[in-house]
Amino acid sequence: MSVYARAMDALSSLRSISRELWVVYANVALYALCYQMQAPVLPYLTRSLGAGAQGYGMMMTVFGVVQFFGGLLAGPLADMYSGELLMLISFAASSLCYLLTASASGMWMLYVSRIPTLLQHAVLAARTIVAENSLEVDRARMLGYIGLSYGVGLAFGPAFGGTISEHWLQLSAWVATGGSLLSVMLLLRLLPKCREFALKAVQVQLKHADVDTEDGQKPLIKHPPSRLNPSEMWRVC
């Protein structure tokens, strides 16, 4: 199959993506856009607050350390309470981070603004959601769309943030705060529907498992979806 044919096949497969996953992809793009629009402005913001290259470097070191320990928490949180809840927490943490950045009047506030990033792991949450709500045959392709979605925000975020911050450095952080709050509202609408979507995915998987049992193999799903209680559904979704 030629490269053109593969590209056309990938584009045609976009029609099979559910509305819930489209919301996840849109939120990943918005997540990247919000982060990238304020990240290039941070060096200039630290300089306006009286710090130089060393102050900016120390702040980014704090950010990296916080993200490191946050990564140790994000996986278990997604495992215990679902990727949707982790994504909701991630956008709430992003909103707080950008709000503190936008209202910073000194370097100490910029340092404090890095603390909420402990729970800022929306990409991991998106991967968890997509992996749990896609069939095995489509999983790699669906996970690839997460990188595509992030690339959209990565491409447009810096230029947009630099443009709107031309006259006021903290404007991009204010816009990022609003964008993150918008994602929180979208996810609050998504969560109830996602449980239904996951239930449908389990039913499809159960049908495939029933086909495998004809060959003498054990089904992958031991209990039909009708026996799932709400607490078990949170683990599925």
Side-chain angles (χ1 to χ4, degrees):
M1 184 181 292
S2 65
V3 175
Y4 176 79
R6 289 180 182 274
M8 291 298 100
D9 182 64
L11 289 176
S12 63
S13 66
L14 293 176
R15 301 175 184 176
S16 63
I17 299 177
S18 66
R19 182 175 61 179
E20 288 81 2
L21 289 186
W22 273 117
V23 174
V24 172
Y25 296 140
N27 276 278
V28 170
L30 188 56
Y31 175 78
L33 181 70
C34 291
Y35 177 77
Q36 296 296 333
M37 77 169 62
Q38 55 88 44
V41 183
L42 286 177
Y44 302 96
L45 182 58
T46 55
R47 184 182 301 173
S48 70
L49 296 175
Q54 184 179 10
Y56 173 74
M58 290 297 296
M59 184 190 66
M60 295 308 294
T61 298
V62 171
F63 172 66
V65 171
V66 171
Q67 281 276 288
F68 171 78
F69 287 104
L72 299 177
L73 296 174
L77 280 175
D79 222 13
M80 293 173 61
Y81 300 107
S82 80
E84 287 75 21
L85 185 59
L86 177 60
M87 180 169 275
L88 185 63
I89 293 173
S90 297
F91 280 109
S94 298
S95 301
L96 182 57
C97 170
Y98 302 143
L99 178 62
L100 290 171
T101 303
S103 56
S105 57
M107 277 301 298
W108 69 271
M109 288 190 68
L110 286 184
Y111 282 107
V112 172
S113 70
R114 302 303 103 180
I115 297 177
T117 63
L118 181 75
L119 298 172
Q120 195 174 358
H121 297 277
V123 174
L124 173 61
R127 289 171 179 165
T128 304
I129 297 170
V130 172
E132 292 182 348
N133 294 282
S134 58
L135 297 176
E136 186 175 357
V137 66
D138 298 324
R139 192 161 297 146
R141 176 168 52 86
M142 295 296 185
L143 288 171
Y145 291 146
I146 296 176
L148 177 65
S149 303
Y150 193 91
V152 172
L154 181 64
F156 294 101
F160 181 62
T163 301
I164 64 176
S165 300
E166 187 69 27
H167 302 290
W168 184 26
L169 288 176
Q170 289 164 302
L171 180 58
S172 59
W174 282 113
V175 176
T177 303
S180 298
L181 290 175
L182 175 62
S183 288
V184 170
M185 290 186 289
L186 288 174
L187 289 172
L188 287 175
R189 293 180 61 86
L190 168 67
L191 287 176
K193 298 178 182 179
C194 186
R195 290 194 293 271
E196 300 174 3
F197 174 76
L199 190 59
K200 293 177 182 178
V202 171
Q203 291 173 340
V204 173
Q205 292 281 9
L206 184 60
K207 291 179 181 178
H208 286 280
D210 290 338
V211 173
D212 292 338
T213 55
E214 295 178 1
D215 298 329
Q217 299 179 2
K218 294 182 179 180
L220 298 176
I221 303 174
K222 297 180 179 180
H223 303 288
S226 60
R227 297 181 185 176
L228 292 176
N229 58 45
S231 62
E232 290 174 328
M233 292 176 70
W234 272 106
R235 293 184 177 274
V236 172
C237 178

